[in-house]
Amino acid sequence: MRSMKKWAAGLAPLLLLTGPQVQAAWQGVGAAMQAKRAGEEVSFVTAGGARVVVSFVTPDVVRVRMSADGKLGRDFSYARVDNAPAPTKIEFDDNAERTELRATTGGTRVVVQKRPALTITVYDAQGRVVVADDPARPMAFDAATGAIEASKQRDAYELYYGFGEQGLPTISREGQFLVNWNTDSYKYPVGTNPLYQTIPFFIALRDGRAYGLFFDNTYRSHFDMGKSDPRRYAFGADGGELNYYVLTGGAERTPANVLRDYTALTGRTALPPLWALGYQQSRYSYMSRAKVEEIARTFREKKIPADVIHLDIDYMDGYRVFTWNPQTFPEPKQMLSALHHDGFHVVTIVDPGVKFDENYAVYRSGRDSGIYVRDATGKELHAKVWPGICAFPDFTDAKARAWWGELYKKPLSEGVDGFWNDMDEPAVFSADDFREPALAQGPQKTFALDVQHAGDGDPGTHARYHNVFGMQMVRATFEGLRKLAPERRPFAITRAGYAGVQRYSAVWSGDNDASWDHLALTIPLLTNLSISGVSFVGADVGGFAATTTPELYTRWMQAAALTPFYRTHSAVDTDQREPWTYGGEYERSNRAAIELRYRLLPYLYTLFAQNEESGLPPLRPLAFDYPQDVDALLVADEYLVGRDLLVAPVVVQNQRARNVYFPKGEVWIDWWSGVRYEGGKTVKIEAPLERLPLFVRAGASVPTQPVIQHSGEMKNAPLTIAVAVGATGASEIYQDAGDGYAYRKGASRTIKISARADKVSLEIPKSAAYQRVVAVELLGLDAAPATIAIDGKTVRDAVFDAAGKRLHIPLPNENVKEISFVR
Ligand code: MIG
């Protein structure tokens, strides 16, 4: 342990409170004793015995590492795509007072002040401070416990978005103390922290300019975003290195640039199979094959579109993973092939706990392969979950992941299409009973902290690897599926995750509740998770943990209709919940919500293609696209779908009209009525039970299709491009086969549309392989134009819908270049 004598002069011992834990004896890193350049990194040894290393990952991304004992560990991250990227070239100046590092391009600078204590300030290309250490709280550590922490100066008006999955009703997280520790939180009340995911990344906004900060540490960690003191924020962890990245946002300093850079670092969600963007129906559980078939039949009979049915834990034989209950789910192959024939895909749940049962081949195989987690004494760890006593694969071991991945061979060959990884925080029951884990969070709900993990070559305790367990489980699932069925895009869903989980999986927000508060919560929760890199997100529609009400279910169906993962799911002790459960106007409204989803599926698909390319997600809070619009920054009850659609769901009981804020600098057109709204204003909008308030940005072109019953019918469905007139704008529509990887070799089509005040230009590459474009619809016209022409020829078969202010213009073929009209 370090002696007090090593302390640098001028530094008072720091006593900070780290949340609900004990008081830690913090020691500052102290003054920098020397700066040394090694390659493109600059390293400092400090008076406190620490080592600090500063480098650039890209010209806009600065990396800081601090190791309290002066030794740097293995440079390895579960979050990063590439653990050994080529270093960015730097220029370096050093004197007794300070060291400056500059990326050779881009203009970002880092100044390391050496005395009285080492502090770091990042400047953007214009010379503005991006973020600066607080000289009153330099980087610190507690040598006794291994805890580490950094503090940054904060402006009173700085706002913070992201932080993965947080149960907070506000959209910005300033003033919050957030803990990262993946936790099974059944029926979590609004405000609960932590939840299931750890994504220690946020986007800050100050004066309309953004930057990002990613704290890559897998221990239990925390963010104190000005709660203890509004003049600073802090982040730290119970152990490991203080390893973080500052993402400056480049020249524009936009949230989009920050997220692009963050997802370049931690990966992006590849295009999912098209069917996974369809409506999904789930229940804990559909108890038998007959029940599943009845559900499927009812969707088709009632003409309610749907693509996916989920089978929860009861499809298994005594909850043994990779088995079927022979009584209730006999002949699964037959069942699955009949469902496929009707246009359904099937997802089965797969938990991490493998029943400890000598007569169970999966258990034996895992034991013989030596892939199970071991307790502190080296014995196979056993804990109770659904099947009774279980063993657990150590997903931080490549061998265990490969073993696990192989297990999907059986269900894949039987015809299961996708997989749902649950309980992977990991969550276990308390030692002495089988009850639903109690709400109170305690150590009994997960592994003991001294349980051992392989850590992919760097063995460590559960305290260190807990937060990556779920991510590595679903990674094993994803990688197994990629290998077993290389011609298909995997579809996996996970409840737990860590930064970078988006490379492998969609995420749902766990055991939410059937309450209006929880419906409202979905917007700040999902939009913030989405701009934390996890773009394929959704919440259980209707609220998992209790019986919903007809009105709540309908409003939830609407609110979720344009969220990426769209699934109804309900708990075992709740009433039945399908879109038709409540009949009458509720059933009609639910059908309409799902139909809207299907009409806009080509747009959602395009957004997912763009997301793979740029990391910009389909689902966004208003602040993401309008960081300069102060009135948009705190809006928590509206969301954007791409740049072009603004959704303002009703999340309040009995409400039939609501206020909608329209972001500044745009004109917004009501999807249903064609009425135009000037941005920068709040307007009361009618919202009858059957309608989701939806607006399209003037200048945007959005692909639509007729209602279909499942995504398999899409190929032959004609496309109509809805153009919101009244502003200039350029849009693209992306099309491909909807599954497989031929698109990465160019098997896709991108249609380009540009809209101006009096004309729409089209560029439709010739191909018969994709949905045909058959019409253009002009939205937001007060009256039918006096004349309309396609490539100079007058059009006579256009139809004007005065109630919707919509003009439908059929196209003779896909060679059309320009539609002009006189307004
Ligand atoms: O302890 O598989 O969040 O979606 O239905 C509960 C049964 C275990 C929790 C999941 C939920 C799922 C349930 N699971």
Side-chain angles (χ1 to χ4, degrees):
M1 219 171 285
R2 241 156 247 102
S3 81
M4 289 296 285
K5 269 177 261 157
K6 279 180 115 183
W7 275 59
L11 238 199
L14 303 168
L15 279 177
L16 298 183
L17 261 184
T18 54
Q21 292 136 299
V22 288
Q23 278 204 332
W26 290 101
Q27 177 179 341
V29 290
M33 312 292 279
Q34 50 169 271
K36 226 175 86 189
R37 177 173 179 170
E40 305 304 324
E41 290 182 348
V42 179
S43 146
F44 304 85
V45 173
T46 74
R51 179 180 295 273
V52 176
V53 179
V54 183
S55 63
F56 281 79
V57 179
T58 71
D60 298 331
V61 179
V62 174
R63 181 180 182 195
V64 177
R65 293 175 79 184
M66 187 277 280
S67 164
D69 63 5
K71 289 185 217 106
L72 290 165
R74 171 180 70 151
D75 191 11
F76 170 83
S77 161
Y78 278 111
R80 289 181 62 169
V81 180
D82 181 358
N83 270 290
T88 295
K89 294 253 178 303
I90 57 162
E91 286 157 6
F92 166 74
D93 293 319
D94 188 42
N95 63 37
E97 288 306 314
R98 43 183 264 164
T99 303
E100 187 172 311
L101 290 75
R102 290 178 301 275
T104 48
T105 58
T108 300
R109 273 186 311 136
V110 181
V111 172
V112 178
Q113 194 66 43
K114 293 183 175 173
R115 285 197 285 251
L118 185 154
T119 55
I120 298 172
T121 304
V122 178
Y123 296 88
D124 68 13
Q126 283 72 39
R128 289 179 297 238
V129 171
V130 176
V131 65
D133 279 354
D134 185 346
R137 302 284 170 113
M139 282 186 273
F141 53 85
D142 178 339
T145 66
I148 37 124
E149 192 173 67
S151 299
K152 302 285 179 189
Q153 292 177 330
R154 114 163 254 278
D155 181 276
Y157 297 102
E158 200 166 80
L159 302 174
Y160 310 101
Y161 304 85
F163 302 96
E165 181 185 50
Q166 301 293 339
L168 298 166
T170 53
I171 198 99
S172 161
R173 277 69 167 97
E174 82 283 0
Q176 299 288 341
F177 189 101
L178 306 169
V179 170
N180 296 303
W181 184 254
N182 294 357
T183 305
D184 177 8
S185 305
Y186 171 72
K187 208 174 182 169
Y188 51 98
V190 173
T192 302
N193 165 265
L195 291 178
Y196 308 86
Q197 301 263 331
T198 291
I199 320 282
F201 162 71
F202 66 84
I203 300 175
L205 271 186
R206 190 176 69 237
D207 298 332
R209 280 184 285 276
Y211 70 89
L213 196 143
F214 170 43
F215 177 37
D216 189 8
N217 181 308
T218 63
Y219 283 82
R220 177 190 284 265
S221 60
H222 65 270
F223 286 100
D224 180 346
M225 302 312 290
K227 186 178 173 88
S228 303
D229 185 336
R231 291 167 304 178
R232 67 175 69 96
Y233 66 81
F235 54 95
D238 285 2
E241 268 176 29
L242 188 66
N243 174 24
Y244 69 94
Y245 301 81
V246 173
L247 306 97
T248 67
E252 296 87 13
R253 302 278 314 274
T254 54
N257 280 358
V258 171
L259 191 54
R260 197 176 285 126
D261 288 346
Y262 172 73
T263 54
L265 205 60
T266 62
R268 293 172 182 155
T269 301
L271 255 176
L274 176 61
W275 59 264
L277 297 185
Y279 173 72
Q280 318 203 11
Q281 182 66 39
S282 184
R283 166 92 182 149
Y284 170 22
S285 303
Y286 290 125
M287 295 300 256
S288 68
R289 172 174 173 178
K291 186 69 191 179
V292 171
E293 287 171 346
E294 175 202 315
I295 297 293
R297 202 178 327 118
T298 311
F299 272 103
R300 298 300 181 239
E301 275 168 17
K302 290 186 168 288
K303 294 218 169 310
I304 297 175
D307 262 276
V308 187
I309 295 183
H310 289 244
L311 303 184
D312 206 329
I313 50 174
D314 294 289
Y315 78 88
M316 291 181 267
D317 182 11
Y319 305 122
R320 289 171 186 83
V321 287
F322 303 101
T323 67
W324 294 90
N325 182 316
Q327 272 79 49
T328 51
F329 285 89
E331 306 197 64
K333 256 189 181 172
Q334 231 183 50
M335 172 185 78
L336 293 164
S337 103
L339 287 165
H340 290 160
H341 183 259
D342 290 336
F344 284 98
H345 287 78
V346 175
V347 169
T348 55
I349 198 167
V350 181
D351 289 353
V354 177
K355 187 178 174 73
F356 170 56
D357 173 354
E358 291 292 339
N359 300 315
Y360 170 35
V362 174
Y363 168 73
R364 284 197 316 267
S365 154
R367 186 198 53 202
D368 297 345
S369 309
I371 52 81
Y372 292 128
V373 170
R374 300 188 170 275
D375 69 15
T377 70
K379 281 209 317 269
E380 186 174 291
L381 174 80
H382 286 168
K384 279 185 185 178
V385 209
W386 299 111
I389 303 225
C390 288
F392 299 81
D394 181 4
F395 295 108
T396 70
D397 177 354
K399 200 166 71 172
R401 287 196 299 272
W403 174 82
W404 181 257
E406 270 289 306
L407 292 172
Y408 289 92
K409 193 169 187 165
K410 180 169 168 285
L412 269 187
S413 72
E414 288 161 340
V416 179
D417 301 284
F419 299 92
W420 168 18
N421 286 169
D422 184 24
M423 304 290 278
D424 52 349
E425 293 70 29
V428 299
F429 297 173
S430 65
D432 39 44
D433 66 32
F434 284 89
R435 278 179 296 118
E436 186 74 36
L439 230 198
Q441 287 153 23
Q444 81 281 1
K445 289 190 66 193
T446 192
F447 300 166
L449 296 185
D450 59 1
V451 157
Q452 309 173 38
H453 290 280
D456 283 287
D458 196 0
T461 61
H462 194 63
R464 177 166 175 196
Y465 289 118
H466 172 86
N467 282 337
V468 295
F469 187 87
M471 175 200 194
Q472 295 309 302
M473 176 182 176
V474 80
R475 170 186 179 184
T477 300
F478 175 88
E479 288 175 348
L481 297 174
R482 282 294 282 124
K483 211 162 141 197
L484 292 165
E487 76 293 352
R488 290 173 67 184
R489 302 177 194 165
F491 177 59
I493 323 162
T494 179
R495 194 169 70 174
Y498 181 72
V501 67
Q502 67 268 15
R503 304 199 291 271
Y504 312 119
S505 185
V507 163
W508 98 103
S509 60
D511 296 344
N512 61 356
D513 197 14
S515 69
W516 289 91
D517 282 356
H518 254 275
L519 168 56
L521 178 66
T522 61
I523 299 175
L525 189 156
L526 296 177
T527 55
N528 276 297
L529 181 54
S530 173
I531 63 164
S532 303
V534 187
S535 48
F536 200 175
V537 290
D540 288 348
V541 173
F544 174 77
T547 293
T548 190
T549 65
E551 185 189 352
L552 177 59
Y553 186 39
T554 288
R555 288 309 201 185
W556 209 312
M557 271 288 196
Q558 291 168 351
L562 298 175
T563 57
F565 177 59
Y566 187 25
R567 181 185 75 161
T568 291
H569 182 51
S570 50
V572 67
D573 53 354
T574 63
D575 291 354
Q576 206 63 32
R577 187 189 303 167
E578 286 87 34
W580 55 83
T581 301
Y582 303 107
E585 59 175 331
Y586 300 106
E587 181 177 329
R588 280 195 299 279
S589 302
N590 294 343
R591 180 190 291 106
I594 298 174
E595 287 180 349
L596 175 67
R597 165 77 167 206
Y598 278 85
R599 288 191 35 93
L600 288 166
L601 215 48
Y603 177 64
L604 281 172
Y605 195 67
T606 294
L607 293 179
F608 267 95
Q610 293 170 349
N611 176 50
E612 176 171 353
E613 190 107 320
S614 65
L616 304 192
L619 184 68
R620 309 161 182 196
L622 272 47
F624 186 77
D625 285 286
Y626 299 94
Q628 314 260 1
D629 179 357
V630 287
D631 295 318
L633 301 184
L634 298 178
V635 173
D637 61 355
E638 301 174 23
Y639 65 85
L640 291 163
V641 182
R643 269 171 68 227
D644 299 334
L645 294 183
L646 175 69
V647 184
V650 170
V651 294
V652 176
Q653 190 171 9
N654 291 328
Q655 204 177 60
R656 294 294 181 267
R658 58 155 288 175
N659 285 334
V660 177
Y661 177 71
F662 293 100
K664 231 172 253 157
E666 315 271 14
V667 171
W668 298 89
I669 297 174
D670 188 308
W671 181 259
W672 309 105
S673 69
V675 172
R676 315 168 68 80
Y677 298 96
E678 204 56 53
K681 295 196 176 89
T682 299
V683 182
K684 191 159 202 171
I685 301 291
E686 294 303 311
L689 182 72
E690 68 278 6
R691 191 193 292 173
L692 172 69
L694 173 63
F695 307 87
V696 53
R697 200 171 55 82
S701 299
V702 174
T704 67
Q705 65 186 11
V707 171
I708 50 173
Q709 295 308 302
H710 59 86
S711 64
E713 294 179 352
M714 211 160 134
K715 209 168 157 43
N716 301 315
L719 274 194
T720 293
I721 303 175
V723 182
V725 298
T728 322
S731 303
E732 293 187 347
I733 300 170
Y734 173 86
Q735 303 177 301
D736 70 14
D739 203 346
Y741 291 93
Y743 75 102
R744 292 194 177 158
K745 301 200 177 89
S748 70
R749 173 165 88 162
T750 300
I751 297 167
K752 294 190 173 142
I753 309 110
S754 91
R756 269 164 291 162
D758 56 355
K759 60 174 70 115
V760 175
S761 308
L762 299 172
E763 233 180 88
I764 311 178
K766 270 202 198 0
S767 172
Y770 310 107
Q771 281 184 284
R772 270 172 322 126
V773 181
V774 299
V776 163
E777 239 164 41
L778 304 182
L779 265 62
L781 286 177
D782 284 330
T787 59
I788 311 156
I790 291 181
D791 293 327
K793 273 206 223 118
T794 304
V795 171
R796 300 190 195 286
D797 55 354
V799 180
F800 186 62
D801 159 22
K805 300 185 189 298
R806 234 176 228 251
L807 178 73
H808 185 89
I809 309 169
L811 302 185
N813 53 52
E814 290 193 336
N815 302 326
V816 169
K817 295 271 171 291
E818 190 174 272
I819 302 168
S820 50
F821 48 96
V822 177
R823 288 179 68 197

